[in-house]
Amino acid sequence: MIAFALSKGRLAEKAGTLLAAAGVDTAVLSEDTRKLVLESADKRYRFFLVKPADVPVYVESGVADLGIVGKDTLIEEGRDLYEMLDLKMGECRLCIAGYPERRDVLTNPHLRVATKYVNTARRVFADREEIEIIPLHGSIELAPVTGLADVILDVVQTGSTLKANGLVVLEDVFTGITARLVANKVSLKTKAAEMLPLIQRIKESL
Ligand code: PRP
């Protein structure tokens, strides 16, 4: 049996479609249920549905053999796992964003940055002496709008959330952020006979 950690949210549907195209019986993923452990009818696959930031945790620990998660989360979590494939879906970029008329805030000696990506923000602003990182869990764009922060460090996909709130990208930090297939290092050896052909099929169905 192969256990997958899958992100709930934006990537969920696309990930399910991709796995189905690779021959995984994903019918159970479309059930309307609050269950967090789902098993395929043929008992070959188990799926854990978790928050995106928790996918690398499950895969690194070996509770899940494979996971599908955004590169933004992998950068943030810095976990010890193998990145097997770029799934080329959910493309976005990680940016510093703020008000267009206040671009000069970036040169402020004291900068307040709201973000879900706290570890990444520490690295991005490592050379600044006075940086205040404000951890948030969602609706990040609200922070500059309400005066909680000067700028945000966040992912931008269509740009519509920024636009709707009068904000713009001030600086690109990472481009080409897409979903990745990740694998547990030990599973890849102990379950090679099952996992390698599956990874190959996923690659072919991209
Ligand atoms: C993400 C991100 C932005 C938005 C960007 O949030 O934090 O808010 O998507 O997408 P866009 O450029 O297409 O508008 P998400 O929708 O995942 O929800 P959250 O606010 O709860 O983090």
Side-chain angles (χ1 to χ4, degrees):
M1 173 173 289
I2 294 178
F4 280 96
L6 300 178
S7 317
K8 292 194 282 189
R10 279 189 190 216
L11 272 180
E13 204 180 316
K14 284 184 178 142
T17 307
L18 177 66
L19 294 180
V24 176
D25 176 4
T26 58
V28 71
L29 291 179
S30 23
E31 275 177 18
D32 184 19
T33 171
R34 295 286 296 167
K35 272 184 163 177
L36 299 170
V37 180
L38 301 170
E39 213 166 278
S40 65
D42 60 10
K43 307 265 181 230
R44 290 176 66 193
Y45 306 100
R46 183 172 286 162
F47 307 97
F48 304 121
L49 305 179
V50 299
K51 293 259 184 196
D54 297 337
V55 170
V57 180
Y58 280 93
V59 174
E60 183 189 54
S61 68
V63 169
D65 304 304
L66 289 169
I68 293 180
V69 65
K71 180 71 179 173
D72 52 331
T73 305
L74 294 174
I75 293 170
E76 173 67 11
E77 294 295 318
R79 296 279 168 172
D80 189 23
L81 35 74
Y82 289 135
E83 200 178 301
M84 306 301 295
L85 292 175
D86 180 349
L87 303 176
K88 304 208 167 37
M89 55 191 200
E91 182 155 1
C92 56
R93 51 198 179 127
L94 191 69
C95 306
I96 300 168
Y99 280 110
E101 62 278 16
R102 281 190 238 148
R103 278 174 192 278
D104 57 343
V105 289
L106 286 177
T107 58
N108 281 2
H110 183 86
L111 184 69
R112 298 169 305 153
V113 185
T115 189
K116 284 187 273 202
Y117 304 96
V118 171
N119 300 327
T120 311
R122 283 206 189 97
R123 290 200 292 273
V124 170
F125 296 101
D127 58 343
R128 300 185 63 122
E129 276 179 24
E130 277 191 60
I131 184 83
E132 187 183 340
I133 295 165
I134 302 169
L136 292 177
H137 297 95
S139 305
I140 313 298
E141 292 80 0
L142 186 60
V145 172
T146 54
L148 179 69
D150 302 310
V151 293
I152 60 172
L153 175 72
D154 199 14
V155 286
V156 177
Q157 195 166 43
T158 61
S160 55
T161 313
L162 286 184
K163 197 170 172 205
N165 293 288
L167 304 169
V168 294
V169 171
L170 301 178
E171 234 175 72
D172 275 318
V173 177
F174 292 108
T175 53
I177 292 194
T178 46
R180 308 294 160 106
L181 178 74
V182 293
N184 174 266
K185 290 187 162 180
V186 175
S187 302
L188 202 62
K189 291 197 183 88
T190 55
K191 298 188 183 179
E194 262 181 294
M195 281 171 68
L196 294 177
L198 172 62
I199 293 167
Q200 183 59 28
R201 289 201 304 278
I202 295 173
K203 189 175 175 185
E204 284 161 10
S205 44
L206 285 176

